[in-house]
Amino acid sequence: MGIEWKIICIHREQGSSVDLCQVVMKDSIVTPSSVGQEALEPDCYTILTQNPFESGLKRMSVIVRADAETKSEHLVFVKGAPEVICSLCRRSGQPKSDKLKQELSYWTKQGCRVLALAWKRLKTKSPAGLKRVQVERNLKFLGLLVMTSDLKEMTEPVISELHDASIRTVMVTGDYMDTAVSIARRCGMVLPEDELVCVEPTCDGRDIEYRSIASRKRLDSGQNGHCSGHVKSAVVDVRSEVKEQRRVYAMTGESFRMMRDQYKRGDNSKNHRGVSVFDDMLVRGVVFARMGPGQKKELVEDLQSLG
């Protein structure tokens, strides 16, 4: 994609509108102020077991032995998608849901990648026989890890050259929608004059909502090129005619699955040009976010079927 990820340190003063965490500068992570008070200060950590990242689980973990002068103990550390990690954590010590959502929204709209971190002590002296499901539950929320997404120097010129040659570019990623859209805007995949329609499930998950996102035509250089300001949105009828703007779509893996299932069942809704709404999404889709491996495969197959 032409992106270089970098970890950044974040500092929020006490009393700010989003007072979620404070920073441990040496570790470059966001961490609650109480974390670390009850932990050992080991001389070294020895990794005993690694549970690799799985797209279906959206997390990975390691079991380590923490060796100090007087004793040693076994700990587990987990990282992954914030919504998944929080669901595996104890309620006590977790940030409030609205504050967490606000923090995630703030950073993903800047095009950052955000992971959640959690940990716990293992009571057993021999963790080798523990199953993954036993290890990755009843965790203590540690904090959020935020990584910037700086574009490589050649990214924008290459995207521009492809567009000049009428070669379509598509972003397919497992990242959050806001992160993907921010990067797509910055690298020129979505142009300032484009009408961007985000396709996402409704709150109850029973239907699909099409929301037109107002273009951010100005970049604030004071934020390293990240978009600033509030984003206005409005529900649109994708079957209606588009005037004066090139309409492009961004959708999540869940909305892609729902639309694909409806299409396969024979729901062949058409737009004003008589084109299937699902086919139109495929043709005009620029960003496909939170996509699993199986959904990526289906997307390629569907695009190939269109010729």
Side-chain angles (χ1 to χ4, degrees), residues 66-264:
D67 297 312
E69 290 185 4
T70 56
K71 64 175 182 177
S72 64
E73 63 179 349
H74 294 101
L75 310 173
V76 57
F77 294 96
V78 187
K79 69 175 181 179
E83 68 274 15
V84 172
I85 299 302
C86 287
S87 70
L88 300 171
C89 290
R90 307 170 191 174
R91 290 190 176 181
S92 60
Q94 276 198 53
K96 293 182 179 180
S97 177
D98 58 339
K99 285 191 175 183
L100 181 62
K101 288 179 180 178
Q102 189 176 3
E103 192 79 11
L104 283 173
S105 178
Y106 175 85
W107 289 110
T108 55
K109 280 184 170 61
Q110 310 310 313
C112 294
R113 174 176 289 178
V114 184
L115 298 175
L117 309 175
W119 76 290
K120 74 174 180 179
R121 285 191 178 89
L122 295 176
K123 297 180 180 179
T124 179
K125 294 183 178 180
S126 179
L130 292 177
K131 296 181 179 179
R132 184 168 185 171
V133 66
Q134 296 174 291
V135 171
E136 297 173 351
R137 67 182 182 188
N138 198 29
L139 303 169
K140 294 182 179 180
F141 182 82
L142 179 59
L144 299 176
L145 176 67
V146 179
M147 295 173 283
T148 60
S149 51
D150 296 332
L151 295 178
K152 295 181 180 178
E153 290 184 6
M154 76 287 289
T155 302
E156 291 181 78
V158 168
I159 295 294
S160 178
E161 188 174 347
L162 290 171
H163 285 183
D164 290 343
S166 298
I167 298 175
R168 181 185 175 194
T169 56
V170 177
M171 182 189 300
V172 186
T173 177
D175 283 328
Y176 282 102
M177 172 78 85
D178 286 339
T179 300
V181 166
S182 174
I183 294 171
R185 288 192 188 279
R186 284 159 48 200
C187 72
M189 292 180 68
V190 177
L191 302 176
E193 60 269 20
D194 289 343
E195 180 195 21
L196 176 65
V197 176
C198 288
V199 185
E200 296 182 280
T202 54
C203 293
D204 58 13
R206 296 180 180 180
D207 205 351
I208 297 171
E209 184 175 68
Y210 307 91
R211 188 167 290 274
S212 179
I213 307 299
S215 296
R216 294 164 168 177
K217 296 186 178 180
R218 180 179 62 85
L219 293 179
D220 187 344
S221 58
Q223 295 190 22
N224 297 320
H226 295 310
C227 297
S228 62
H230 297 288
V231 181
K232 295 183 179 179
S233 63
V235 177
V236 297
D237 182 357
V238 295
R239 295 168 298 182
S240 63
E241 184 178 1
V242 184
K243 297 181 179 179
E244 298 180 354
Q245 286 182 303
R246 184 181 78 123
R247 176 177 284 175
V248 295
Y249 294 101
M251 68 177 67
T252 63
E254 181 61 19
S255 56
F256 172 76
R257 181 195 63 78
M258 292 174 66
M259 289 192 67
R260 193 174 192 271
D261 287 348
Q262 292 175 1
Y263 181 76
K264 297 297 182 182

